[in-house]
Amino acid sequence: MLNIKQIRESPGQFKAGLARRGKALADCIDRILELDGQKRSFLAQIESLKAEQNAAGKRIPMMKKAKENTDEIMAQMKDLSQKIPGLESSLREIGNDLEHLMLSLPNIPSPDIPEGADSGSNVETRRFQEPREFNFTPRPHWEIGKDLGILDPAAAAKVTGARFHFYKGQGARLERSLYNLFLDTHTQNGYTEILPPYMVNRESMTATGQLPKFEEDAFKLVGTDYFLVPTAEVPLTNMHRQEILSPDDFPIRYCAYTPCFRAEAGSAGRDTRGLIRQHQFNKVELMTFSLPENSYNELDILTGDAERILQMLGLPYRVVTLCAGDLGFSSAKTYDLEVWMPSYEKYVEISSCSNFEDFQARRGAIRYRAEDGKTKFVHTLNGSGLAVGRTVAAILENFQNADGSIALPEALHGYMKCGRLTREEGC
């Protein structure tokens, strides 16, 4: 959430920041200031009337004791008691409108990210390893998975619906091996492993920015106010919701494996085959709570930790800095890690690493006590370390052989107990 006090003091700064995302957003600042002015006006009126009410309430016993006539002051009290509820009702309505608008506005982009309206203006920062040159035509991972007998979307479509998968045999083992490798690596690098709930409440979804704007993308449990997690970012961030932390606690680094559930509203027709865009997929998430002055250094650390996994697996990838128009709702700055997919003949996102600055912390009241004794908002960061299904897809495509077998990355040999996937022998 943006800072309403700072909006009052520097509305032009916020208009300019939001205009980098889209002009219509900048126009919302005027409406916020209008509602904020009305809210403050109603508050002042209510406080003034209540002060009159309290003063009159103190005078009445004194007047009665002095045997003075109280008819006039009693009439004033009755008039005040009738006015205040109406003003309070208007205040609640304006307050709700203001809160909804504030919760619907995205974060302000960091000044150092590229300008642009969409992904076409994103800037490549660096690459690791050039894509492999095949001496045969590489096949897509969904065909490879079917031929190896390790992926079965048809069975999943029968049991559940489109955009779900059964992993079978060594496919299931590969998926499990990957998230174990991810968790083992991240915990060795200082992250505390968390196994969170797979359901969260409305307050948690609101704190991280999924609600109210993206409710259509969430899976809500009928008859409850619980949602299936779209990412472990939600439970991990909310572990410290409404808490005041000590400066000595930072940086706080968590990693967590969860299945993730997304309705993918508005994505009809996109990546309908394979593992790239699923309603349910596994992911290992990295989460950092940081002091504000250190958060951009922490973003580099977190991004490097996600990159380390891709390097261990020997997968070609690139790091892209997102432009202002392509940023996620809560992010101030994001690096996307994009892995090379031979069947697509392009790089495909496998991780987004973001600094939210104090945007989520304001929504969730996550603070720390500074040296001057005042409470301040922490900075939150997160990134995928990595999306497991997309990693499976990348391995199948990048390490496929002409005979249909898969040469597994060495980092997985100990987990898989073999170095090669074949149809006949399995692993």
Side-chain angles (χ1 to χ4, degrees), residues 404-421:
S405 66
I406 306 297
L408 293 171
E410 187 175 347
L412 287 173
H413 291 185
Y415 292 91
M416 292 292 294
K417 309 303 181 188
C418 72
R420 194 163 170 260
L421 291 179

Side-chain angles (χ1 to χ4, degrees), residues 316-338:
Y317 71 90
R318 67 176 186 170
V319 181
V320 173
T321 304
L322 299 195
C323 70
D326 199 34
L327 276 182
F329 179 81
S330 300
S331 177
K333 184 173 185 176
T334 295
Y335 295 118
D336 270 5
L337 308 186
E338 298 179 346

Side-chain angles (χ1 to χ4, degrees), residues 8 25 33 41 44 65 78 83 102 119 130 157 198 244 266 282-283 289 299 314 318 325 332-333 355 387 417 426:
R8 287 188 212 117
L25 292 170
L33 291 172
S41 175
K65 187 175 182 180
K78 182 178 180 181
K83 284 182 177 178
M102 290 290 289
S119 60
E130 288 303 311
Y198 297 162
I244 298 176
N282 294 318
K283 183 155 66 80
F289 296 86
L299 177 60
R318 67 176 186 170
K333 184 173 185 176
N355 187 351
K417 309 303 181 188

Side-chain angles (χ1 to χ4, degrees), residues 152-167 278:
D152 191 346
K158 177 178 65 177
V159 170
T160 308
R163 296 194 181 184
F164 291 89
H165 260 79
F166 271 107
Y167 288 80
Q278 297 279 285

Side-chain angles (χ1 to χ4, degrees), residues 125-201:
T125 303
R126 57 184 175 272
R127 289 191 183 195
F128 172 81
Q129 201 165 284
E130 288 303 311
R132 171 187 171 190
E133 292 187 8
F134 290 87
N135 56 10
F136 60 93
T137 301
R139 296 188 303 154
H141 64 275
W142 55 87
E143 290 183 6
I144 298 170
K146 180 181 179 180
D147 288 350
L148 289 174
I150 62 175
L151 295 177
D152 191 346
K158 177 178 65 177
V159 170
T160 308
R163 296 194 181 184
F164 291 89
H165 260 79
F166 271 107
Y167 288 80
K168 298 165 61 177
Q170 293 306 314
R173 187 182 186 92
L174 178 57
E175 181 94 354
R176 175 162 53 91
S177 295
L178 282 168
Y179 61 71
N180 282 331
L181 169 67
F182 298 172
L183 290 170
D184 289 346
T185 302
H186 295 316
T187 53
Q188 289 165 11
N189 284 298
Y191 291 81
T192 299
E193 183 178 348
I194 304 293
L195 185 60
Y198 297 162
M199 291 183 285
V200 292
N201 58 31

Side-chain angles (χ1 to χ4, degrees), residues 151-289:
L151 295 177
D152 191 346
K158 177 178 65 177
V159 170
T160 308
R163 296 194 181 184
F164 291 89
H165 260 79
F166 271 107
Y167 288 80
K168 298 165 61 177
Q170 293 306 314
R173 187 182 186 92
L174 178 57
E175 181 94 354
R176 175 162 53 91
S177 295
L178 282 168
Y179 61 71
N180 282 331
L181 169 67
F182 298 172
L183 290 170
D184 289 346
T185 302
H186 295 316
T187 53
Q188 289 165 11
N189 284 298
Y191 291 81
T192 299
E193 183 178 348
I194 304 293
L195 185 60
Y198 297 162
M199 291 183 285
V200 292
N201 58 31
R202 181 170 292 274
E203 290 78 11
S204 295
M205 292 281 280
T206 301
T208 49
Q210 274 76 23
L211 299 181
K213 189 173 180 62
F214 302 107
E215 187 155 354
E216 66 173 1
D217 282 318
F219 282 108
K220 186 176 186 296
L221 278 68
V222 176
T224 75
D225 217 16
Y226 292 160
F227 296 81
L228 295 176
V229 294
T231 165
E233 169 196 341
V234 180
L236 291 180
T237 304
N238 282 277
M239 285 177 67
H240 295 298
R241 176 158 50 91
Q242 298 177 345
E243 290 185 12
I244 298 176
L245 304 169
S246 167
D248 297 334
D249 294 334
F250 299 104
I252 302 170
R253 298 185 180 121
Y254 295 134
C255 65
Y257 156 78
T258 63
C260 303
F261 304 90
R262 299 183 188 178
E264 295 287 357
S267 65
R270 295 171 59 195
D271 301 320
T272 55
R273 293 179 296 179
L275 301 170
I276 300 301
R277 196 176 297 275
Q278 297 279 285
H279 291 310
Q280 176 186 323
F281 60 94
N282 294 318
K283 183 155 66 80
V284 170
E285 193 76 359
L286 304 177
M287 174 77 208
T288 301
F289 296 86

Side-chain angles (χ1 to χ4, degrees), residues 311-364:
Q311 293 168 8
M312 291 172 63
L313 294 172
L315 289 168
Y317 71 90
R318 67 176 186 170
V319 181
V320 173
T321 304
L322 299 195
C323 70
D326 199 34
L327 276 182
F329 179 81
S330 300
S331 177
K333 184 173 185 176
T334 295
Y335 295 118
D336 270 5
L337 308 186
E338 298 179 346
V339 68
W340 178 256
M341 295 293 290
S343 72
Y344 288 70
E345 295 187 333
K346 67 177 184 178
Y347 289 93
V348 174
E349 178 197 333
I350 198 167
S351 172
S352 280
C353 301
S354 301
N355 187 351
F356 306 118
E357 297 186 355
D358 64 2
F359 187 81
Q360 292 180 327
R362 286 184 181 280
R363 297 168 76 104

